[in-house]
Each structure stands twice: as C-alpha cells, then as structure tokens.
Amino acid sequence: MSTLRPEHPSDGSALVPPPGCPAHGQGDAGISRLHGPEAERDPAALYERLRRQYGPVAPVLLHGDLPAWLVLGHRENLDVARTPSLYSRDSRRWRMFQEGRVAADSPLGPTVGWQPICVFADGEEHQRLRGAVTDSLAQFDRRGVRRYVVRHTKQLVGTFAEAGRADLIPQYAEKLPMLVMTQLLGMPEEYGPRLVRACLDLMKGSETALASNDMLVVTLRELVRRKRETPGRDLASWLIGHEAGLSDDEVMEHLRLVLVAANETTVNLIANTLRMVLTDPRFRANLAGGHMTLPDALEQVLWDAPPLSVIPGRWATGDTVLGGRQIRKGDMLLLGVAAGNADPEIRPDLTAPVHGNRSHLAFSSGPHECPGQDIGRAIAAEAIDTLMTELPGLTLTVPESELRTSTSWVSQRVDTLPVTFPARRAPAGDGSTTRSRVRLPELPEVTQGGAAAVASGVASGVPSGVASGVPSGVPGGVLTARRPWWKSLLPRR
C-alpha cells in the first residue's frame, strides 16, 4: 500500500511506498529485485515470499532491473544444473547481452560476463578446460594443504593471542583462506591481504567491482608470465604444463576463478560454521554428547548457511517450461542454493539434523559441480579445528542478535564474531608477521584507477625469474594428534 510522503505533492500525483515496504524492492512491473537494501535485509524471507507467490521458479530483477529467473525448488535446481542441453553456461546466449541492455560498467560484468574458462563452456570445450583444472587440483596433497592451514592459523592467532580478545571474522576467517590459496597458486603470500579485499569487493558487486577485477587480472597475468619462465609445484605451473594446452589467457582466467571462488566460499564456510559453533545450542549439546563430528557440523552449515546463496547463471538454449513457468530462449536462470536447501518438499522441518546427508546444493551439481569442494572442506575443517585447539575457552562477547551480517545478491555470512579467551603469550616461531622471500611492491587500494597502478607496480617490482614458490616443507613437520577442539566448548570443572 502506498502513502503520501511530505516531500511530494499532496494532490495524489506522486505516491511513494513507505520505508520498509516491499514495494521499495520492486521494479515497475512489481517484480522483486534480488539486490539492494530491501532484498538484502532478509534474503531467506524474500525467497519464501517468492516461493509462496510463484512456486519453485520466480521472476526477479538484477542490477539495472534486468530480468532473470530465480530457481527456488530443490528438484528444479538439480534439473537446471544437470541438463546443459537445455540450460547452457555460455553467458553469450543471454538475451540482455544480445540486446545491448547490460551497461559497460554493470556490476554484473565480472560475474556473468563471458570468459574463456570452464564455467562458461559446454560440451567438449568444457571437458578440455575442466579436465585441466581437476587434474591440477588433484595434484595437491591434502595433508600438505592442512599443514599450510595450521601454519597460517598459528601466525594469525599469534597476532592477537596476548590480547585475550579478537574478532574472528576480520582477524581470522577473512584472512586465512587467501593466505593458503596464494601459496597453492604459487603467488607471493605478501599479496594476500589486499587480494582478500579485492575478492570480497568483486563478489559484492560494488561500485569498485570492475576495478577490483582489473587488479586481480593484472596480478595474475604477471604470475603466469613468471611461472612460464620458472615453473614450480603449484596450480599455476600445473595448468601451464597441462596437456590441454591452455593459453596464457585461459590459465590466467582459471587462476582468477579458483582464487575468487575458493576464497569467497571458504571464508563464508569458516565464518558461518564458527558462528553456529559459538551460538547454536544444537552444536554444543551434540558435540558434548559425542553425537556430532566436525564433518557433521560443516555439512549442517552447508545445508543451513551455504557459502553461496545464489549461483549465476544458466541460459536457456530454447523455449521450455520449468516449475510451471514459461522460460524463453536466452533467459537467465539463477540457481537458488539457499532456497533449494530449504525447500519444504525435502526439508519440512528445518530444525531436524542432516548428519551424513550430502544432497544439499552448496556445491551445485551436474557437469559444473564445484571441482575444489574437497580442498575447501579440508581448509575449513582444519581452520576450525586448529583455531579451537589454539584458543580453548572461546566465548562470544555479544548476544547473537547483535552480530552483523554481510549480504549481497549471491551470498550472506556473519560479518563479526567478537570473542574473548584466556590470554597467552604467542609461542616463538608462530610469528605475527609473514616471512618475506622477496621484496615486493605494495598493491594499491582498489579505486577506479587502481588497475593501472597495479600494472606498473607488479610489473616493475617482481624480479624476472624469481619463484614465488611454495616451500617444500613446513616448519613443525607432520601434524600431531591434538585435544579435540569441541572439548573447549564444555564447562571447565
């Protein structure tokens, strides 16, 4: 219902919805926007309202009021993900692109603009590109990945252990995955903090998303150049040397894909799991009683708070019907992961535990199912296990209702987790600073002109032929058995 606002004429010629009214989040045709304050205030409520109004497939508007279909049903999500003949990943099929309706500076560009990577390919080309990625990821030793997590966790904990208090999101969850990923990709870890900000900015689709994307591209192009000259045991080198014969552009784009997707999703998974461990009575009771393992806890979070709420996109190869809706050739469809996981047809009781059930949509499905999900799970599991072991007695300092969240049109996670714990001196060798192997230029802050500064800084600051190399061993040797982290949740006797 519309009401008159004081700043508008009183003759009824200008009716404006009151603040908080759902109409603020709708376009001219009454279709809900998937972005903006109204949509991001409570995405779950928006999904359920759309489900009640439209069923398993609902029309929505993206940035620029461009139309798309949000798939809400679990079964319908699987249909779209598993049927590439009807729902292509090639974004050049999008009618909005073909009609020139996507602005050059649209925040959607970095996310859905076509790139020469497996995510936007179908058929044989998809098999060629994805094969290079999956084969290269398979070369990582999972124990080696966990050792990196342990080392960097101890480094980060060392920066706040003596204080006895910390905010686990900006001081830990947002930093750890990128520190690990820079080493897996063969990048200097000194770039990690700035790349964290660029990746988060890119995924949020902010006004500087394009500049953040440019910064990543320039940085990765330089990495590819150096790795062609001096290969190592890292993802960049393995992609370059793969029998699929990827071009420099293809290697760079797949490194960008892994860096952005792996960082964003792993940060969200760690953050959301830490929140539930610290606030949800189910976790404390079940862990104390021995009925829930850490993998169980992660799986519950992948159901209830998946790292990505929405996965864009698929494009209809022809006219079809899905969930009772007429889909036209060239339409965009969005996989509604969070909505599909809460579909009442498969989860009538959202409070019931889902131990051992991996039929959630968190990693998608079909030929484009996330190839790095096992590495992501390993990083998240070791990150939480090591953190809780290093800092027993973690206690949240504010009520859960006061926790802030970060929400975009594709993801939602807790933005702050202030905690206290018994202060302790950081052990020698854990180090609050990152070990430097070569003096590197500082990456500039992301601005609209930031890409040019990155180009000049990166190109001139890294000596040719210097390997950013992943060290062959990690201080401390093999992992040793530790006190189970969940015991830190139990009352002290």
Side-chain angles (χ1 to χ4, degrees):
M1 179 178 179
S2 298
T3 59
L4 291 173
R5 296 280 295 279
E7 64 268 29
H8 290 275
S10 59
D11 58 2
S13 61
L15 296 179
V16 179
C21 175
H24 272 299
Q26 297 178 345
D28 292 339
I31 299 176
S32 295
R33 295 187 176 95
L34 199 57
H35 63 96
E38 297 297 325
E40 295 170 5
R41 181 175 293 113
D42 190 347
L46 172 63
Y47 302 152
E48 292 312 306
R49 178 168 61 81
L50 292 173
R51 198 194 309 273
R52 290 192 300 269
Q53 184 174 0
Y54 297 103
V57 179
V60 293
L61 296 176
L62 304 179
H63 297 80
D65 277 359
L66 300 178
W69 296 99
L70 178 61
V71 185
L72 304 165
H74 188 274
R75 180 179 58 189
E76 288 75 15
N77 269 284
L78 292 178
D79 287 345
V80 173
R82 295 175 177 176
T83 318
S85 59
L86 288 178
Y87 307 103
S88 170
R89 285 295 278 126
D90 189 340
S91 64
R92 293 172 295 187
R93 295 176 178 269
W94 193 17
R95 195 168 58 255
M96 298 299 100
F97 277 141
Q98 296 173 357
E99 295 176 358
R101 294 179 57 184
V102 184
D105 60 349
S106 170
L108 297 173
T111 306
V112 303
W114 185 87
Q115 302 153 40
I117 55 178
C118 59
V119 168
F120 293 99
D122 298 313
E124 293 182 0
E125 182 66 0
H126 172 254
Q127 294 176 10
R128 179 182 77 89
L129 297 173
R130 183 181 172 91
V133 173
T134 54
D135 291 347
S136 298
L137 290 175
Q139 296 195 53
F140 285 122
D141 179 355
R142 297 300 186 271
R143 289 174 297 179
V145 173
R146 289 186 171 92
R147 285 195 291 269
Y148 284 132
V149 176
V150 171
R151 178 161 72 90
H152 287 300
T153 291
K154 291 184 176 182
Q155 287 179 349
L156 292 172
V157 168
T159 65
F160 53 74
E162 295 185 27
R165 62 176 58 248
D167 190 328
L168 295 180
I169 303 304
Q171 292 180 263
Y172 183 67
E174 286 186 349
K175 293 182 177 181
L176 178 69
M178 185 61 75
L179 291 175
V180 176
M181 291 306 302
T182 53
Q183 296 203 345
L184 298 184
L185 267 66
M187 300 179 69
E189 63 188 55
E190 289 84 351
Y191 283 169
R194 191 59 53 81
L195 293 175
V196 166
R197 291 192 287 274
C199 287
L200 292 174
D201 185 54
L202 177 60
M203 291 302 294
K204 289 178 181 177
S206 71
E207 293 181 355
T208 56
L210 292 175
S212 294
N213 183 63
D214 289 343
M215 192 195 81
L216 289 173
V217 168
V218 172
T219 304
L220 292 173
R221 284 193 190 282
E222 174 61 19
L223 175 66
V224 173
R225 184 191 69 77
R226 289 191 291 113
K227 287 300 178 180
R228 281 212 180 271
E229 295 178 357
T230 310
R233 293 187 56 78
D234 50 65
L235 184 60
S237 300
W238 291 328
L239 286 175
I240 290 171
H242 194 270
E243 63 182 5
L246 272 61
S247 68
D248 282 0
D249 280 346
E250 289 173 335
V251 173
M252 183 276 295
E253 292 289 3
H254 282 89
L255 291 175
R256 171 185 172 276
L257 169 67
V258 171
L259 191 65
V260 174
N263 182 72
E264 171 75 4
T265 54
T266 309
V267 167
N268 292 354
L269 180 55
I270 293 173
N272 290 337
T273 303
L274 283 173
R275 174 181 185 166
M276 298 187 81
V277 165
L278 293 172
T279 64
D280 195 321
R282 293 177 302 169
F283 283 79
R284 289 177 178 263
N286 287 337
L287 287 168
H291 301 304
M292 179 179 285
T293 64
L294 179 54
D296 288 335
L298 286 172
E299 223 59 46
Q300 184 75 48
V301 172
L302 289 170
W303 274 101
D304 294 339
L308 293 180
S309 305
V310 174
I311 300 178
R314 300 294 194 275
W315 289 271
T317 60
D319 294 350
T320 187
V321 176
L322 179 71
R325 300 292 160 186
Q326 184 66 49
I327 311 297
R328 294 178 55 198
K329 179 180 179 180
D331 282 357
M332 180 197 284
L333 297 98
L334 310 170
L335 299 182
V337 174
N341 281 353
D343 187 342
E345 288 195 7
I346 64 163
R347 291 185 71 193
D349 180 5
L350 295 180
T351 65
V354 289
H355 300 174
N357 187 340
R358 289 194 172 190
S359 60
H360 55 72
L361 303 170
F363 299 112
S364 188
S365 185
H368 288 276
E369 184 174 5
C370 175
Q373 57 184 280
D374 290 338
I375 292 179
R377 275 193 176 99
I379 292 175
E382 192 63 47
I384 297 168
D385 188 9
T386 305
L387 177 70
M388 303 298 285
T389 301
E390 289 290 308
L391 298 176
L394 281 175
T395 303
L396 199 63
T397 62
V398 299
E400 183 181 8
S401 60
E402 295 183 12
L403 295 177
R404 300 192 309 272
T405 58
S406 290
T407 305
S408 72
W409 68 288
V410 295
S411 65
Q412 182 181 31
R413 68 165 167 82
V414 64
D415 198 36
T416 179
L417 275 178
V419 296
T420 58
F421 47 86
R424 66 174 179 83
R425 185 176 299 278
D430 284 358
S432 60
T433 59
T434 302
R435 181 164 51 112
S436 178
R437 288 183 291 275
V438 60
R439 187 173 182 81
L440 296 167
E442 182 180 356
L443 296 180
E445 292 289 348
V446 174
T447 63
Q448 292 297 338
V454 175
S456 60
V458 172
S460 63
V462 182
S464 177
V466 174
S468 66
V470 176
S472 58
V474 177
V478 298
L479 294 176
T480 57
R482 293 188 299 273
R483 176 175 177 266
W485 64 269
W486 54 264
K487 289 186 178 180
S488 66
L489 300 175
L490 301 179
R492 293 182 177 274
R493 296 184 181 276

